Amino acid sequence: MKHVVKALTLALAASLLMAATAFAAPVKIGLMCPLTGKWASEGQDMRNIVTLLADELNKAGGINGNKVELVVEDDGGDPRTAALAAQKLTTSGVIAAIGTYGSAVTEASQSIYDEAGVVQIATGSTAVRLTEKGLKRFLRTAPRDDEQGMVAAKLIKAKGYKAVALLHDNSSYAKGLADETKALLDKAGTKIVFYDALTPGERDYTAILTKLKAASPDIIFCTGYYPEVGMLLRQKMEMKWNVPMMGGDAANHADLVKISGKEAAKGYFFLSPPGPQDLDAPVAKSMLTAYKAKYNGVPGSVWSVLAGDAFNVIVEAVKSTGKADSGAIAEYLKTKLKNYPGFTGQISFNEKGDRVGDLYRVYEVNANGDFILQP
C-alpha cells in the first residue's frame, strides 16, 4: 500500500509540475514597428533582428520545447495606425508585444495593451510620461528623456556654449527632451535664445533656419528625428551658416548622412546609446555576425538592437517562470530580472518599467559620414 501511495504522490507531483510549466504551443510574441512611413528603415531593421532571434531560438528547440511564433504589425510610424496595430496584436493571442520606435506612436497603443492585459516593451520611446502612468505591464529597453536631457545640459556646459537654441518638432519625444534640457539650462543660468518647433515632414526649413540665425545662438540643439535633422544640416550649409548643431538619440541613424550629405553632416554631434558598431558584448558581436550573414548588412541604428533585447528578456521571463503569461512576465521583469546580459549591456528594470543604468554616449560625424564614438 505504501508503494501505491508513493507512486500516486509522485504522479500527482509530476502532473502539478507539468501544469505549472506547460503552456500552449506556439508561444506568440508580437512586434509592432514602422514598416512603412518615414521611419520604415528603423522598422525593417527591428523586424529583421527579431525574426533572426526567433528563428535561431526555434532551431535550438524554442522555449521549454515550445516554438515561438512572431506576429508582426506595421504601425506606420503614426499614432492612429499604431492603435489599429495594437488592437490586432491583442486579439491575435500574443503574450507580449515589442515596440515601438516613436514615443507618440507608443503612447497611442499603451492603453490598448494595458486593457488587454498584454505586456508591452517599447524600444525607441524615451518620453518620460510613458512610465509615469503606473501601467503594470509596460516596460522599455530604451532610456528616458530626463536622463538624456541631463547629459545634454552637461555636454552643452562642458563645451562652453553660452547662447543655446532649442528646436523640437512638437512630438512627445522631441518636445519632452527639449523641455527637460531647457529646465536644466535655465537652472544653470545658460541663456536660451530660441525655443520653437518645426513642422516634421517638410522639405524646406530655410524660414525657421533664418529665424534661428537671427537669434545668434552658439549652438543649435535640435531634438527631432533624423529625417528633419538631415534636411536642416543640408539647408544650413546651403545658407553658408556654420553654427554648431547637436542632436538627441533620434538622430542616430545612417540615413541622416544620406539626407544631409557628408559635407553638411561633418562635425554634427549627438547623444545616443552605443550604436551597433560599438557594442562590445560577446552576445552582441555574435548576433551582428549572424545578422550580417542573413541580411548582408548591419542594423542602421541601435533601436532595432533594443528590439532584440526586448525579445530576449521576454524569452528569459517565460523560461524562468515556466509560464507564457503576461502577468508573470511583467512581474518577473520588474522584480526578478537582474543584470541580464543584453546586446546593449546589462539589463534590469525598476518598478515603473524603466531600464536601470546610464546608456548615453556622444557621437560625432566625421568627414566620411561615419558616426564616431567620442572618448
Side-chain angles (χ1 to χ4, degrees):
M1 184 67 180
K2 289 182 179 179
H3 295 296
V4 173
V5 171
K6 185 177 181 180
L8 288 172
T9 302
L10 290 172
L12 178 60
S15 66
L16 288 172
L17 180 62
M18 288 179 66
T21 59
F23 38 81
V27 179
K28 291 186 177 182
I29 297 176
L31 171 63
M32 186 177 80
C33 57
L35 296 174
T36 57
K38 65 179 181 179
W39 300 329
S41 56
E42 289 284 6
Q44 288 157 12
D45 283 348
M46 290 170 68
R47 179 180 60 184
N48 286 349
I49 193 169
V50 176
T51 298
L52 171 67
L53 296 175
D55 288 347
E56 289 187 341
L57 179 64
N58 285 335
K59 287 178 183 177
I63 306 177
N64 299 349
N66 293 271
K67 296 289 185 180
V68 169
E69 180 183 330
L70 187 63
V71 185
V72 182
E73 289 293 340
D74 177 18
D75 61 48
D78 180 86
R80 291 167 296 182
T81 311
L84 294 173
Q87 288 169 359
K88 289 180 180 178
L89 285 175
T90 56
T91 56
S92 68
V94 299
I95 58 167
I98 300 164
T100 187
Y101 175 65
S103 292
V105 188
T106 291
E107 189 163 33
S109 66
Q110 278 186 299
S111 61
I112 296 170
Y113 288 115
D114 183 61
E115 290 171 8
V118 174
V119 168
Q120 180 184 16
I121 305 183
T123 60
S125 303
T126 57
V128 172
R129 68 172 179 262
L130 298 180
T131 46
E132 294 295 325
K133 300 177 180 181
L135 300 179
K136 293 182 178 180
R137 301 186 185 191
F138 180 80
L139 306 95
R140 55 178 153 197
T141 50
R144 285 172 38 139
D145 283 342
D146 50 355
E147 180 186 336
Q148 186 175 186
M150 179 179 64
V151 177
K154 286 182 178 178
L155 180 62
I156 288 169
K157 184 177 180 180
K159 286 183 173 288
Y161 296 118
K162 305 297 184 184
V164 180
L166 289 168
L167 180 63
H168 60 88
D169 63 8
N170 269 328
S171 67
S172 298
Y173 157 76
K175 189 175 188 303
L177 176 55
D179 287 344
E180 292 289 339
T181 306
K182 184 178 184 298
L184 291 167
L185 291 175
D186 283 339
K187 187 176 181 180
T190 302
K191 188 176 181 181
I192 307 296
V193 297
F194 183 96
Y195 180 88
D196 205 348
L198 56 73
T199 302
E202 292 190 347
R203 304 296 298 174
D204 186 355
Y205 289 114
T206 52
I208 200 160
L209 282 167
T210 300
K211 290 181 181 179
L212 277 162
K213 189 174 182 179
S216 301
D218 296 333
I219 180 76
I220 300 171
F221 182 23
C222 179
T223 60
Y225 291 84
Y226 64 91
E228 287 73 33
V229 172
M231 293 291 290
L232 287 166
L233 287 169
R234 178 157 62 86
Q235 291 168 12
K236 181 168 70 70
M237 184 187 71
E238 290 169 353
M239 290 172 58
K240 296 181 171 56
W241 186 32
N242 60 358
V243 65
M245 186 167 158
M246 66 176 282
D249 50 22
N252 186 0
H253 195 282
D255 285 355
L256 170 78
V257 179
K258 293 180 182 178
I259 296 166
S260 67
K262 293 179 182 179
E263 185 180 354
K266 181 183 177 183
Y268 172 75
F269 60 99
F270 60 87
L271 302 171
S272 177
Q277 72 277 11
D278 296 312
L279 298 173
D280 54 10
V283 289
K285 291 182 177 180
S286 176
M287 179 275 294
L288 290 171
T289 298
Y291 188 102
K292 189 172 184 178
K294 183 168 184 174
Y295 300 113
N296 195 33
V298 294
S301 77
V302 70
W303 308 112
S304 56
V305 182
L306 290 168
D309 276 337
F311 177 84
N312 280 344
V313 296
I314 292 168
V315 171
E316 179 67 15
V318 177
K319 284 182 176 179
S320 297
T321 62
K323 298 178 181 178
D325 173 79
S326 279
I329 292 169
E331 182 181 2
Y332 178 83
L333 293 179
K334 289 186 176 183
T335 64
K336 297 179 181 178
L337 184 78
K338 301 299 178 186
N339 299 324
Y340 176 83
F343 300 132
T344 56
Q346 293 185 334
I347 301 175
S348 303
F349 299 98
N350 62 22
E351 68 281 358
K352 292 181 179 179
D354 283 317
R355 182 170 175 171
V356 177
D358 177 16
L359 285 178
Y360 284 106
R361 303 292 183 270
V362 180
Y363 280 86
E364 185 169 319
V365 184
N366 69 9
N368 292 323
D370 301 318
F371 297 168
I372 306 300
L373 181 64
Q374 301 301 291

